Amino acid sequence: MADDTQLADPPRDVIAPGYTFGSITDQIAAVVLTKRTPVFWMACFSVGFGLLLLFLWAVAMLLAKGVGIWGIRTPVMWGFAITNFVWWIGIGHAGTLISAILLLLNQRWRNSINRFAEAMTLFAVACAGMFPLLHLGRPWLFYWLFPLPNSMGVMPNFRSPLVWDVFAVSTYATVSLLFWYVGLMPDLATLRDRAGNRIARLVYGVMALGWRGSARHWSVYETASLLLAGLATPLVLSVHTVVSFDFTIAIVPGWHSTFFPPYFVAGAIYSGFAMVLALAIPVRSVYGLQGLITGKHLENAAKVMLATGLIVAYAYILETFTAWYSGDVFEQAAIWHRMTGPYAFSYWALITCNILLPQALWFKRVRTSPVALFISSIFVLVGMWLERYVIIVSSLAQDFMNSSWGIFHATRWDWATYLGTIGMFLFLFFLFIRLLPMISIFEVRTLLPQAKVEKESRP
Amino acid sequence: MTTPIYGLMAEFDSPTALVRAARAAREKGYRKLDAYSPFPIEDLSGALDLHKNKLPLIVLAGGIAGLIAGYLLQYFVTVWYYPINIAGRPLHSWPSYVVIAFETTILFAALSAVLGLLALCGLPMPYHPVFNAPRFALASRNRFFLCIESRDPLFDRAQTGEFLLTLDPKEVSEVAH
């Protein structure tokens, strides 16, 4: 039955016609194995590297002077640090969604974009991890977060969502790395077999662990991929749920709400798909990969963005409704302050970026235009950052007692650290596309019609 | 007497030809054989009669171990090693253990999936005789290989070679040890 539908409608739109096993291999491997580096790569890498240096400078200042160089003052002690943490972690979630959930749902279009989306996850989690770490004030004591026996005889409090977060995020980073590496193994073997340079052959060979494509190995490998996908799926949902627990378990007005977990997960996928589009659109045109990352991929990603964006819109409406309906004056005041208070500009900007503008994605003309998609994905990324900023800062700035209110102003070091992690992300991402295959070669081979074994009519 | 070899390797240019050849070799009675392909081919498991692997069991065991370890860690710390009374709640506050126990379950299960994969495949393996086959580098590009190993009781250098040639391969070559 499934075979019949396959034959009736070959996956022509997830891969351009005319590709062969050899040409797929050559095209993707050539990006890595060539000596020629495109100017686009140099430019993006330079921007990333420059901002990474800014990050190192900001961190050095932070270590020398303390977290006071940031704008965090009582009562807004979370400020940019936690905003950026939640934003980056959320961006990472699309990678796991594409690699794990879409694998379980048998969505074959994921095969061409899962590799770089997973890399995006890893680097986004690395950037996210920087913020709670630096926000500790004394980052060199970070290991106090783990239950390690120590001479002070103290232990972390396992009833605190902040400790849950440590476990959730470190598990997420580890599992994402494992999943990514397992996916890379067969492609590293391809690079080993194709590299002309001795050193490259040695390095890729060591990393491929001696993969030889044996049928016995492939059968275990397929089981392992499915199991890892099955494990990563609940994990990714749990991670942003736990991140939302950082807020909901507290009683701060505007935070203490049961719909935060699904709202945060949807927002995470929303911003993550925006980042996938923002990366895929320029990269595919520079490297001429339009035949592998086709318009179909961009359109599907846009549809996911539209759907999750509507869930986020529903959450905003529900948030306002619940505050009104609860009859709780503090909840009502918190929402009212968001809409009309000192952060009103950010609030309405986020509504514009996250809800109003992305409605353009209803139109097929927008979804099929890479430029329009790129612009809308940038808007969504900005909007989702503003959303976290408004949730965190406006709730903390004006809570129960007028006497303890205080307004947050970001300092130049807040901005330097934030822009610095964007630099770190670009730096790592462009190193990745230069050194490793950015599209999963072996999975794209399976998209070809000739990869299907013809059934012989056995007597 | 020539030097012993690892086996004979036949090269094919499509997955269909490989599956057909593997099936034919099994029917002929060969048992020590393996196929090499640039991507997973589901039909090969049937053609080579590969048994279900034990990986799901390994992962289940890892997950259960992670669950128990995560729960006991929290129980040990909050009840016995470092008890803190928070608002008079019981020390064994199991609902708040759920998140960390869940995360350690996933962590241990994922680690056992990857380590189990490597263990069942015998990787990392820096040297393997099949890499001596002259055109084997193409097994990671666009060619499909079937290797009948010399430890198979039916293996005979001349006869097996002739048999492989009947399967319509691109090339048949000897694989040195």
Side-chain angles (χ1 to χ4, degrees):
Chain A
M1 184 67 204
D3 288 338
D4 293 341
T5 48
Q6 270 307 328
L7 288 176
D9 179 26
R12 200 174 289 138
D13 33 16
V14 296
I15 185 162
Y19 272 106
T20 65
F21 298 129
S23 65
I24 287 175
T25 312
D26 296 345
Q27 193 183 1
I28 304 173
V31 173
V32 175
L33 295 175
T34 176
K35 283 213 167 74
R36 205 181 63 82
T37 306
V39 178
F40 166 80
W41 188 92
M42 284 293 188
C44 293
F45 185 77
S46 311
V47 171
F49 189 64
L51 289 173
L52 178 66
L53 293 180
L54 177 68
F55 178 69
L56 295 180
W57 184 26
V59 171
M61 286 298 286
L62 184 84
L63 295 183
K65 296 198 170 178
V67 286
I69 65 168
W70 289 348
I72 49 175
R73 304 283 180 274
T74 321
V76 189
M77 295 309 284
W78 278 10
F80 262 34
I82 306 302
T83 304
N84 296 339
F85 163 72
V86 180
W87 188 69
W88 275 121
I89 276 278
I91 285 174
H93 281 27
T96 320
L97 182 101
I98 290 170
S99 60
I101 301 181
L102 297 185
L103 177 74
L104 295 182
L105 297 177
N106 211 3
Q107 294 291 312
R108 283 150 57 88
W109 59 278
R110 67 173 273 291
N111 287 8
S112 342
I113 55 172
N114 67 343
R115 169 71 45 71
F116 83 83
E118 279 171 50
M120 177 193 88
T121 296
L122 274 182
F123 306 146
V125 171
C127 291
M130 289 297 139
F131 287 100
L133 205 61
L134 296 172
H135 191 252
L136 290 174
R138 288 182 286 171
W140 51 93
L141 297 178
F142 74 96
Y143 61 90
W144 286 10
L145 293 164
F146 293 101
L148 300 170
N150 55 69
S151 57
M152 296 170 291
V154 294
M155 277 283 165
N157 176 14
F158 288 122
R159 300 176 188 100
S160 160
L162 300 182
V163 176
W164 301 347
D165 223 13
V166 173
F167 278 82
V169 173
S170 53
T171 300
Y172 185 49
T174 314
V175 173
S176 303
L177 180 67
L178 290 174
F179 201 7
W180 186 65
Y181 191 79
V182 166
L184 265 173
M185 251 176 9
D187 286 357
L188 288 168
T190 299
L191 291 180
R192 168 199 68 201
D193 294 340
R194 297 189 48 71
N197 174 321
R198 261 185 73 86
I199 298 170
R201 205 155 50 214
L202 183 72
V203 172
Y204 289 127
V206 168
M207 284 166 71
L209 306 178
W211 181 263
R212 54 185 190 274
S214 148
R216 285 160 214 282
H217 293 180
W218 276 125
S219 103
V220 185
Y221 184 90
E222 289 280 273
T223 314
S225 303
L226 268 182
L227 287 170
L228 282 172
L231 292 167
T233 300
L235 177 64
V236 67
L237 299 179
S238 87
V239 171
H240 229 61
T241 302
V242 172
V243 169
S244 77
F245 283 170
D246 293 346
F247 303 97
T248 56
I249 305 280
I251 56 163
V252 175
W255 285 7
H256 192 55
S257 168
T258 47
F259 73 74
F260 261 40
Y263 162 28
F264 267 49
V265 171
I269 293 166
Y270 191 32
S271 59
F273 267 89
M275 188 60 112
V276 167
L277 284 176
L279 294 172
I281 290 169
V283 165
R284 76 175 196 136
S285 60
V286 168
Y287 286 100
L289 297 171
Q290 286 97 334
L292 297 172
I293 303 175
T294 62
K296 179 79 178 166
H297 293 101
L298 303 185
E299 198 181 344
N300 281 354
K303 284 178 181 167
V304 175
M305 247 168 71
L306 182 61
T308 48
L310 289 173
I311 299 176
V312 170
Y314 171 70
Y316 295 156
I317 295 168
L318 196 66
E319 190 173 44
T320 315
F321 172 79
T322 316
W324 168 74
Y325 191 68
S326 68
D328 180 336
V329 287
F330 298 108
E331 283 292 334
Q332 288 169 351
I335 300 297
W336 189 246
H337 287 150
R338 272 187 205 173
M339 291 177 172
T340 61
Y343 300 102
F345 174 77
S346 303
Y347 182 80
W348 294 110
L350 92 85
I351 296 288
T352 313
C353 291
N354 275 355
I355 300 187
L356 297 182
L357 295 177
Q359 298 312 316
L361 297 174
W362 286 104
F363 298 99
K364 197 169 175 81
R365 274 190 53 193
V366 176
R367 291 201 306 269
T368 49
S369 150
V371 176
L373 276 182
F374 182 79
I375 294 169
S376 45
S377 64
I378 297 294
F379 272 117
V380 170
L381 285 170
V382 173
M384 285 308 294
W385 186 88
L386 286 170
E387 178 206 296
R388 276 65 181 258
Y389 177 76
V390 166
I391 290 175
I392 290 170
V393 173
S394 82
S395 287
L396 286 174
Q398 296 171 307
D399 62 355
F400 300 102
M401 302 250 289
N402 315 41
S403 58
S404 63
W405 287 3
I407 298 300
F408 172 82
H409 295 287
T411 64
R412 72 184 98 158
W413 295 112
D414 278 309
W415 286 108
T417 320
Y418 174 46
L419 292 175
T421 50
I422 293 178
M424 184 167 110
F425 180 82
L426 290 176
F427 172 80
L428 291 169
F429 189 80
F430 280 92
L431 269 188
F432 155 74
I433 60 174
R434 189 69 186 84
L435 298 175
L436 292 169
M438 70 175 119
I439 295 177
S440 175
I441 307 174
F442 85 91
E443 283 174 295
V444 171
R445 289 188 194 118
T446 64
L447 293 178
L448 290 179
Q450 54 266 48
K452 276 201 89 63
V453 175
E454 294 153 30
K455 295 277 179 287
E456 49 195 325
S457 47
R458 307 188 71 188
Chain B
M1 182 72 198
T2 48
T3 49
I5 56 168
Y6 174 79
L8 284 169
M9 181 87 88
E11 179 186 329
F12 301 92
D13 61 0
S14 82
T16 310
L18 174 64
V19 170
R20 207 169 283 153
R23 221 169 254 149
R26 285 279 308 181
E27 273 166 18
K28 187 87 178 162
Y30 290 107
R31 287 297 173 267
K32 302 285 179 204
L33 46 127
D34 203 348
Y36 301 88
S37 59
F39 55 86
I41 301 170
E42 214 178 311
D43 304 54
L44 271 180
S45 304
L48 292 174
D49 196 26
L50 299 180
H51 297 290
K52 285 225 173 301
N53 58 65
K54 294 211 165 57
L55 194 64
L57 269 181
I58 297 174
V59 174
L60 178 68
I64 291 174
L67 178 68
I68 294 172
Y71 195 92
L72 286 186
L73 167 75
Q74 297 177 81
Y75 182 83
F76 166 76
V77 168
T78 50
V79 176
W80 191 79
Y81 183 80
Y82 190 64
I84 331 172
N85 183 343
I86 296 173
R89 293 193 180 88
L91 290 177
H92 181 200
S93 48
W94 65 267
S96 60
Y97 298 174
V98 169
V99 173
I100 292 179
F102 173 78
E103 302 298 342
T104 51
T105 307
I106 300 282
L107 179 66
F108 279 47
L111 283 171
S112 41
V114 174
L115 296 178
L117 166 70
L118 295 180
L120 292 179
C121 295
L123 298 174
M125 187 184 284
Y127 174 77
H128 192 277
V130 293
F131 288 113
N132 294 330
R135 288 161 58 82
F136 192 71
L138 294 177
S140 66
R141 184 169 183 267
N142 59 351
R143 289 288 189 264
F144 303 81
F145 293 84
L146 181 72
C147 183
I148 299 183
E149 293 160 24
S150 60
R151 61 203 169 99
D152 191 290
L154 290 180
F155 184 83
D156 176 278
R157 223 155 155 165
Q159 279 179 14
T160 306
E162 274 166 31
F163 164 70
L164 282 174
L165 284 172
T166 63
L167 299 172
D168 198 21
K170 306 272 289 181
E171 191 176 291
V172 174
S173 51
E174 294 191 343
V175 182
H177 258 298

